[in-house]
Structures are given as C-alpha cells and as structure tokens.
C-alpha cells in the first residue's frame, strides 16, 4: 500500500529532512584518519536527541546504532566500530531520524583523508546516479524510469549496481511501499503520483553487484570485495518539480 502525503504532512517531512541534513553535514566534518565510526555514531545520536528527534535506525529490527558506517567493501548496514579510520578509505554514513512522527533517511559517502582517483570517481558517479534518478521522480513517470536512469549511468562507467537492496517509500514508517530499485526498464513499474515520498539510494560497486551478509547478520559486503559507494536522499514527488527533503530548499527542474 502506497501512502501519499498531503502538504501538511510533507511539511513535517521537510522539517525532519532539514534536521537530518544538519546532522549529516556535521558528521562529514568529523571524518578523518584516526577518528572512529563509533565516535561519529555517538555524536549523531547526541545531536538528534538534542533536537528533540529520535534516531530511527537504533532498535529498528534490533539494529544497535544510530548510523550505519560502511567502509570500503561494506555496501550498507556496517556497524560503527572502535577501529580508527585509515587514510584513503571510503566511508559511507547512512542515518535516519523521526521528528514529530515523520521520518527522514539520507546517506553519503566520503573519503577518509585523501583517497585514490578511482575511489573519488566511484563516489562522484554514485552521486550522479542519484541525481539522474531523482530527475525522473516526477508525477506520471514510473519507477522503472528512476531505476533505469541510475543503472545506465553506473554501468556506462563499468560499475555494478547492487540489486539485493533498494530505495523505498518513506513517511510515518522508514520503509514503506514501493520498493525503489536502482535498476529497471523505462516506462515500467508503479506510476508516480504527487504526494508520494520516496528514498532513492544508489549503491554502486567498482566491481560485481553480488553481495553477502556478514557474521553480525547486518552488514552487507560485496562478494568480490570491490569498494562500494552509497548516496541517498528522501524526495517528495509533487505536481511539478521533485523536492529533495533532506537537502533543504532543493527542487529539481526538468532542465537542471
Ligand atoms: Mg538510509
Ligand atoms: Mg533508505
């Protein structure tokens, strides 16, 4: 069941998205060699609770942390740890929160110190995949238009598109219908309507798309150990241009 949101509800999601954006911007400044992802996790939780919101990941199906911290070959759902980050690693931080009953979900990838050109390119292309997908998030289009836009750009760069995990509807719940795959066929799948709110989140690997689950039963890693990048925002589909709720003030015009 897909729940569309009215303008008042989207305003609440905009408020949640704005707070999450502030949290993630702050976390970005903490990423450097020697820092631990556990310290970043604690800071995220402190900041979210200080603003009167709740970390949505913590306790979700038993997940024990406020952020997912996924390093290099970890795709998503990495556990924050007390292992110091090392120069050149790729760190993906995924975080969600609930403010006044409404959810926001967003992720970014960043280099620890200075990373190789290959790693920098992977992150750049992953972000481009997101924007190409988001541009398709318009009433009248279909989910396959989003997936195709992400997939063709990743594959044109020789990268793998993770298939086992997808984006999702979001609202009062973190994961609502529909699933939003990062692959697909143009013109296929659920038709998008104004008031739908979805998280688009390409997970792109330097190598193959196949993954496995770690012994902690959460963390997802690439089977071929290739480095993976993740980028996500929560978006509102409107009568006009899509609005990026976790990037305050950002609407995507058709010719952008
Ligand atoms: Mg997320
Ligand atoms: Mg998500």
């Amino acid at each position: 069941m897909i729940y569309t949101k009215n303008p008042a509800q989207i305003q609440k999601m905009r408020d949640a998205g704005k707070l999450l954006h502030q949290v993630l911007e702050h976390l970005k400044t903490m990423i450097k060699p020697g820092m631990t992802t556990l310290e970043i996790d604690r800071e995220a939780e402190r900041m979210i609770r200080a603003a009167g919101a709740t970390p949505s990941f913590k306790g979700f199906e038993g997940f024990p942390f406020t952020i997912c911290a996924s390093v290099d070959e970890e795709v998503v759902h990495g556990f924050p740890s007390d292992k110091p980050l090392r120069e050149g690693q790729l760190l993906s931080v995924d975080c969600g929160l609930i403010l006044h009953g409404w959810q926001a979900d967003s992720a970014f990838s960043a280099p620890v110190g200075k990373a190789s050109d290959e790693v920098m390119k992977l992150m750049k292309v992953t972000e481009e995949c997101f924007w190409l997908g988001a541009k398709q998030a318009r009433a009248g289009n279909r989910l396959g238009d989003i997936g195709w836009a992400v997939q063709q750009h990743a594959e044109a760069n020789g990268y793998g598109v993770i298939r086992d995990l997808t984006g999702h509807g979001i609202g009062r719940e973190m994961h609502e219908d529909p699933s939003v795959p990062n692959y697909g066929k143009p013109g296929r799948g659920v038709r998008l309507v104004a008031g739908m709110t979805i998280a688009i989140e390409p997970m792109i690997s330097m190598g193959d798309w196949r993954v496995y689950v770690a012994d902690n039963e959460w963390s997802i890693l690439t089977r071929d150990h290739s480095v993976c990048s993740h980028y996500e925002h929560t978006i509102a589909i409107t009568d006009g241009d899509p609005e990026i709720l976790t990037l305050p003030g950002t609407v995507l015009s058709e010719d952008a």
Side-chain angles (χ1 to χ4, degrees), residues 18 20 38 45 55 66 78 87 103 111 120 160 194 237:
K18 183 178 175 188
L20 181 55
L38 212 45
E45 179 169 3
T66 293
E87 183 92 23
Q103 301 259 354
M120 296 308 288
I237 293 157

Side-chain angles (χ1 to χ4, degrees), residues 29-47:
T29 68
M30 297 177 72
I31 298 171
K32 50 177 175 269
M35 174 61 70
T36 72
T37 48
L38 212 45
E39 287 171 272
I40 297 172
D41 180 74
R42 289 199 193 105
E43 179 62 6
E45 179 169 3
R46 185 199 65 75
M47 222 177 144

Side-chain angles (χ1 to χ4, degrees), residues 209-236:
W209 57 268
R210 289 172 185 82
V211 295
Y212 71 97
V213 183
D215 290 340
N216 67 19
E217 294 182 1
W218 272 104
S219 309
I220 310 282
L221 295 91
T222 50
R223 271 199 220 169
D224 65 1
H225 306 295
S226 58
V227 175
C228 195
S229 178
H230 182 204
Y231 191 81
E232 173 182 27
H233 282 296
T234 298
I235 292 180

Side-chain angles (χ1 to χ4, degrees), residues 103-255:
Q103 301 259 354
D105 185 8
S106 181
F108 67 88
S109 296
V112 179
K114 193 172 159 29
S116 68
D117 292 348
E118 287 93 331
V119 165
M120 296 308 288
K121 184 185 167 198
L122 175 72
M123 288 189 295
K124 178 172 169 279
V125 170
T126 303
E127 205 170 319
E128 288 166 357
C129 285
F130 166 82
W131 290 107
L132 289 167
K135 266 178 81 170
Q136 298 297 321
R138 308 184 75 85
N141 281 1
R142 290 178 183 269
L143 276 180
D145 297 314
I146 296 175
W148 166 247
V150 171
Q151 180 183 12
Q152 60 82 25
H153 188 57
E155 291 181 352
N157 281 279
Y159 295 146
V161 174
I162 307 302
R163 287 156 188 265
D164 297 52
L165 299 128
T166 66
H168 48 90
I170 177 169
R172 288 190 189 276
E173 300 296 329
M174 176 161 57
H175 294 151
E176 296 183 353
D177 287 339
S179 283
V180 181
N182 294 303
Y183 55 90
K185 292 197 171 74
R188 298 283 189 87
V190 169
R191 189 180 289 280
L192 306 175
V193 298
M196 279 175 74
T197 44
I198 58 173
I200 298 178
E201 48 179 313
M203 290 154 262
I204 307 296
S205 109
M206 267 191 205
D208 193 76
W209 57 268
R210 289 172 185 82
V211 295
Y212 71 97
V213 183
D215 290 340
N216 67 19
E217 294 182 1
W218 272 104
S219 309
I220 310 282
L221 295 91
T222 50
R223 271 199 220 169
D224 65 1
H225 306 295
S226 58
V227 175
C228 195
S229 178
H230 182 204
Y231 191 81
E232 173 182 27
H233 282 296
T234 298
I235 292 180
I237 293 157
T238 71
D239 289 323
D241 297 327
E243 179 180 347
I244 317 292
L245 298 172
T246 43
L247 214 49
T250 306
V251 288
L252 271 178
S253 71
E254 215 152 5
D255 39 44

